[in-house]
Amino acid sequence: MNALIFDPVTKLVIVLLIALALVFGIKHYNGLNQKVGQLETQLTEKQQLIDTQNSNIADIKEQITSQAQAIADLQKAQDELQLNSEQRKINIKEILNHDQDAKTWASQPVPDAIRSMFSNTGTANANTVQSALSSTDPVQ
């Protein structure tokens, strides 16, 4: 029975050690709770950043898709124009080679009245055109 009974100084030391352990335990627990809170905040921020980046990626994918479609449409239009151009060149060559009226018309010189429209700078119309061209001339 004497073993269970401690002298008062020993009891006081044991109570102080237990109190000290509780204080340090509570401080450690509070520190861990603060770290958990900080990590949860960081996790929320990172998740928002990931969501924003996913949204940006989706927008970029949509833009790429629409640009690819526009490029395909433009390529198709360009191919059609090229085909039409080639066909027209063939038609013009056939007309020039086989149509006698076109050969006659193409071999005649340009009439003086039409030539004077392009070469005469004395007319008001030509002066207007010439002044408009000179006002946009970057050299002056």
Side-chain angles (χ1 to χ4, degrees):
M1 236 23 208
N2 284 340
L4 293 176
I5 300 175
F6 296 109
D7 62 4
V9 175
T10 309
K11 287 182 183 178
L12 182 63
V13 170
I14 291 174
V15 169
L16 285 175
L17 286 175
I18 290 174
L20 188 62
L22 284 175
V23 168
F24 283 125
I26 289 171
K27 283 188 176 184
H28 181 68
Y29 178 76
N30 287 339
L32 290 178
N33 277 339
Q34 287 178 351
K35 281 187 178 183
V36 167
Q38 290 172 351
L39 290 175
E40 286 177 347
T41 303
Q42 288 177 358
L43 180 64
T44 304
E45 291 171 355
K46 298 294 181 183
Q47 186 62 43
Q48 289 173 349
L49 181 63
I50 289 171
D51 291 342
T52 302
Q53 288 175 345
N54 285 340
S55 174
N56 290 343
I57 289 171
D59 290 343
I60 290 170
K61 284 182 181 179
E62 183 178 322
Q63 289 175 355
I64 289 172
T65 303
S66 65
Q67 287 177 353
Q69 182 62 38
I71 289 170
D73 292 343
L74 289 172
Q75 186 66 41
K76 181 179 176 184
Q78 183 180 9
D79 292 343
E80 289 175 6
L81 289 173
Q82 183 68 28
L83 182 65
N84 288 340
S85 172
E86 294 297 325
Q87 185 60 41
R88 287 181 181 159
K89 285 179 185 177
I90 291 170
N91 288 344
I92 289 172
K93 285 181 182 179
E94 287 179 3
I95 289 171
L96 290 176
N97 290 334
H98 300 295
D99 188 5
Q100 189 60 35
D101 292 334
K103 282 183 180 181
T104 305
W105 178 81
S107 65
Q108 292 179 356
V110 177
D112 290 335
I114 294 175
R115 192 176 313 141
S116 67
M117 286 175 46
F118 294 107
S119 64
N120 189 359
T121 58
T123 63
N125 188 20
N127 285 336
T128 305
V129 171
Q130 190 174 22
S131 66
L133 289 175
S134 65
S135 66
T136 59
D137 191 5
V139 176
Q140 291 182 344

